[in-house]
Amino acid sequence: MGKEMMIALIGAGSALTGALVGGAAAVMGAARAARSAYFGPLDVARREGQREAYVTLLKAADTYEAETGTALGYARLLHSDPGERARYRSATSSAAMPQPVAASVRQVELEGPTRVAEAAKAVRAAAQQLAVTLTGIEDGFENPDEGLDPAMPDQAHEQHEALRSAINAFADVAGKRLNTW
């Protein structure tokens, strides 16, 4: 009976171990399901907030890019007659203000994640650099006798292209973030 008892004890021990492992797996699975049920809607809400922030930045950046593109077309006419210069000056003046872009970037920084926030900061930096150059062009409108650095309109066009590239890079990073779970 010693052997039979030993076999019975081993069988009971194996059954108990199996029950414990199975029970632990069931508890962990239930906990994971409960966590998903709780955090799932929160994750969806967080993603929606991120999407809204990203869209706001893209709209502001696209609008700014379009306005600055128009202003740069006018910058080429800097040496035209004074009546023309006055009309072009207002377009350049309004395009030299990237505040909506900067405000949208702050919102993206809050929503994250870091890679998307860094891409948004690159958009802001490009917009601000272009604004500085456009301000210099605007000063050229105000003081035509002092002249304008002839390279400034070309520099502004390069910065405009850099802004366009930064916007495209942001859209790519933000799109990848929103399309991965």
Side-chain angles (χ1 to χ4, degrees):
M1 192 138 122
K3 262 185 170 182
E4 293 171 352
M5 184 65 124
M6 185 67 123
I7 291 172
L9 285 175
I10 290 174
S14 295
L16 183 59
T17 302
L20 288 174
V21 169
V27 167
M28 287 176 55
R32 194 171 291 138
R35 179 177 166 81
S36 291
Y38 178 73
F39 285 112
L42 292 178
D43 190 46
V44 168
R46 183 174 50 83
R47 290 282 182 143
E48 182 61 25
Q50 288 174 336
R51 188 191 71 72
E52 288 176 17
Y54 301 169
V55 166
T56 300
L57 173 57
L58 284 172
K59 285 180 181 177
D62 285 341
T63 299
Y64 184 70
E65 187 268 332
E67 288 174 356
T68 55
T70 301
L72 290 174
Y74 295 152
R76 292 185 178 177
L77 303 170
L78 185 63
H79 302 294
S80 60
D81 70 64
E84 296 264 327
R85 262 198 307 260
R87 195 170 80 222
Y88 300 147
R89 182 174 173 237
S90 66
T92 303
S93 179
S94 68
M97 295 184 270
Q99 286 85 352
V101 174
S104 298
V105 169
R106 285 189 294 275
Q107 188 177 0
V108 170
E109 287 178 297
L110 287 174
E111 292 292 338
T114 303
R115 284 186 59 207
V116 177
E118 292 301 320
K121 288 177 190 178
V123 171
R124 178 178 56 207
Q128 289 172 334
Q129 186 61 48
L130 181 55
V132 168
T133 302
L134 288 173
T135 300
I137 292 172
E138 182 184 2
D139 291 344
F141 282 128
E142 288 181 12
N143 305 309
D145 296 334
E146 292 179 19
L148 176 69
D149 178 357
M152 196 170 276
D154 292 336
Q155 180 182 8
H157 283 284
E158 290 171 13
Q159 291 169 350
H160 188 257
E161 284 302 314
L163 173 62
R164 188 176 290 154
S165 292
I167 292 169
N168 289 337
F170 171 77
D172 184 52
V173 169
K176 285 178 182 172
R177 168 62 182 159
L178 291 175
N179 292 320
T180 57
W181 287 90

